[in-house]
Amino acid sequence: MNPEKPKSGAGLPASILVVDDTSANLQVLAGMLKDRGYKVRPVPSGKLALLAARKDPPDLILLDINMPEMNGYEVCEHLKADDKLKGIPIIFISALTEPLDKVKAFATGGVDYITKPFQMEELHARVETHLKLRRLQIELEEYSRHLELARERLKLDLELARGVQRGFLPQRLPEIPGYEFFANYESAYEVGGDYYDFILLPNQRVAVLLGDVAGKGVVAALLMAKLSADARFCMLTDPDPAAAVTRLNSMMNHSGIADRFVTLVAAILDAGKHTVTLVNAGHPPPLIYHRATRTVEEAISKERTGFPIGVFDGFGYASCQVSLAPGDSILAFTDGVTEAMDAQGRQLQMKGVYAAVQGEAYSPRALGEQVVKVVKQFASGRSQQDDIALVSFGRTG
């Protein structure tokens, strides 16, 4: 049975450099290997072997040990010190049979050791095995290079996507006399699914939206982009926030995006009347902070909290209205705040938010900054597991 002719790539036979100072050995080895279809280059000394390898790197080297001027161990050490040649498999062929000789051969970088006199089939088996291993190594290195390039491209794409996503968020905070606004956004990955927006409406009114798309990563970011556009359209075209959220829910249900939903808080601030109208679509309840008493409570009851957006088509959302006394603020955040974990895996929870802000006097901005600070301190030593978005706004007087 004739073995398959080894190829070094692109239909070419594998190249083998044979190094031995005895011409008879060179002739025998070269003849045996050529009969098997290899491209053989015989050289009679270690120095010539290095020159030949550097000029045209072979796929494998058969290397004698006892040679004048430069022995096989020294040749191997020189080859392994060369970045372009160190990957070439080297099989030592020697009459030396002491265990220490073999140990030294492997220590200098040899992959195998054949003792003279050798059997022809054993030589062919060893050569074929190490050529296959070398080809697999080259293929793996090539795959790794392609994988690294793909990772770099993905990294650049995600950085671009991050910039695009940030462009959907407000570039500046509203400026309304007697009121202050604050927002904070941090994604767990390059892109995320949390979202907030400030939409200026007629008659000193501002729509403040905060949402959380189910899931993370690119898919959540894409849905967040759609939500941003649809929510802005609904708020600008319908003066009733409950009706606007109901319409938004219908649009998301008919968008063809299956198995995805969004929790959302919509707050309409009427700065002239000092009131806030709230609609909650399955989101953690927004809080109202009273600076006069330094206390905090839920701004909308659980009974008025509807389904998340995209869950139940035709659902009618309800709203409630709260008044803002001087110093009062509204605080809304995604579940990345309450579900922040410490090093022991414990969650901050809503009680942690309450504890963070009660008992002290905060401006609307300071209130938001305090919660962000507490979340980071609580989760210190643990990587961020979820996107975090937070908005706060209220009266400064």
Side-chain angles (χ1 to χ4, degrees), residues 13-328:
S15 171
I16 300 177
L17 186 66
V18 180
V19 188
D20 198 308
D21 65 325
T22 303
S23 58
N25 290 340
L26 281 179
Q27 291 177 1
V28 171
L29 284 169
M32 291 169 56
L33 294 170
K34 286 179 179 178
D35 288 343
R36 292 297 181 106
Y38 298 105
K39 176 184 176 182
V40 184
R41 290 185 291 155
V43 291
S45 72
K47 289 185 176 180
L48 289 176
L50 291 178
L51 290 173
R54 287 165 181 159
K55 182 179 180 181
D56 184 11
D59 298 306
L60 182 141
I61 297 175
L62 295 177
L63 182 60
D64 189 22
I65 294 178
N66 281 333
M67 295 184 294
E69 296 185 11
M70 181 180 291
N71 63 40
Y73 298 135
E74 293 171 318
V75 174
C76 187
E77 288 173 348
H78 280 284
L79 290 168
K80 296 304 175 182
D82 190 322
D83 288 338
K84 295 182 178 179
L85 305 176
K86 63 182 181 182
I88 300 172
I90 298 172
I91 300 177
F92 283 97
I93 298 184
S94 175
L96 300 176
T97 58
E98 292 296 324
L100 288 178
D101 297 317
K102 297 180 180 180
V103 169
K104 187 173 182 180
F106 287 112
T108 56
V111 297
D112 211 337
Y113 193 102
I114 300 175
T115 304
K116 297 176 182 178
F118 53 83
Q119 295 294 321
M120 181 177 67
E121 291 305 322
E122 178 189 9
L123 173 68
H124 287 312
R126 302 281 186 95
V127 167
E128 193 171 329
T129 295
H130 289 292
L131 282 173
K132 286 180 179 178
L133 290 173
R134 177 58 177 160
R135 283 195 294 271
L136 289 172
Q137 180 186 6
I138 292 172
E139 289 173 5
L140 181 59
E141 290 172 353
E142 187 67 19
Y143 175 77
S144 296
R145 283 192 291 270
H146 285 303
L147 185 61
E148 187 60 33
L149 288 173
R151 285 175 177 168
E152 288 298 319
R153 287 195 297 269
L154 178 60
K155 182 180 179 182
L156 291 174
D157 288 345
L158 288 174
E159 288 176 355
L160 176 61
R162 181 185 181 92
V164 171
Q165 185 183 36
R166 291 282 180 174
F168 283 104
L169 301 177
Q171 302 304 302
R172 63 181 63 183
L173 298 173
E175 296 181 1
I176 296 178
Y179 278 83
E180 188 174 62
F181 295 80
F182 172 79
N184 183 82
Y185 177 86
E186 295 179 35
S187 58
Y189 302 100
E190 287 83 356
V191 291
D194 283 6
Y195 146 84
Y196 72 88
D197 201 358
F198 299 108
I199 305 169
L200 297 180
L201 303 175
N203 303 320
Q204 283 192 302
R205 296 162 65 239
V206 180
V208 181
L209 304 182
L210 181 75
D212 184 357
V213 176
K216 305 176 184 68
V218 175
V219 175
L222 291 172
L223 186 52
M224 181 275 247
K226 176 173 176 54
L227 171 70
S228 173
D230 289 349
R232 180 170 280 268
F233 170 77
C234 291
M235 289 295 162
L236 288 171
T237 56
D238 200 319
D240 179 6
V245 174
T246 299
R247 185 179 184 184
L248 176 62
N249 177 57
S250 179
M251 292 173 66
M252 295 299 288
N253 271 283
H254 290 89
S255 65
I257 302 173
D259 302 324
R260 290 281 173 175
F261 62 88
V262 182
T263 65
L264 178 74
V265 167
I268 307 297
L269 168 65
D270 189 327
K273 297 178 180 179
H274 302 304
T275 61
V276 178
T277 304
L278 294 161
V279 181
N280 190 354
H283 200 80
L287 305 179
I288 181 169
Y289 167 80
H290 305 287
R291 192 177 64 190
T293 58
R294 300 183 181 183
T295 57
V296 65
E297 61 182 332
E298 291 185 1
I300 183 171
S301 66
K302 291 181 174 63
E303 290 74 20
R304 287 189 171 270
T305 297
F307 289 103
I309 302 294
V311 171
F312 179 33
D313 191 17
F315 182 80
Y317 292 86
S319 64
C320 74
Q321 190 175 92
V322 297
S323 297
L324 295 182
D328 284 358

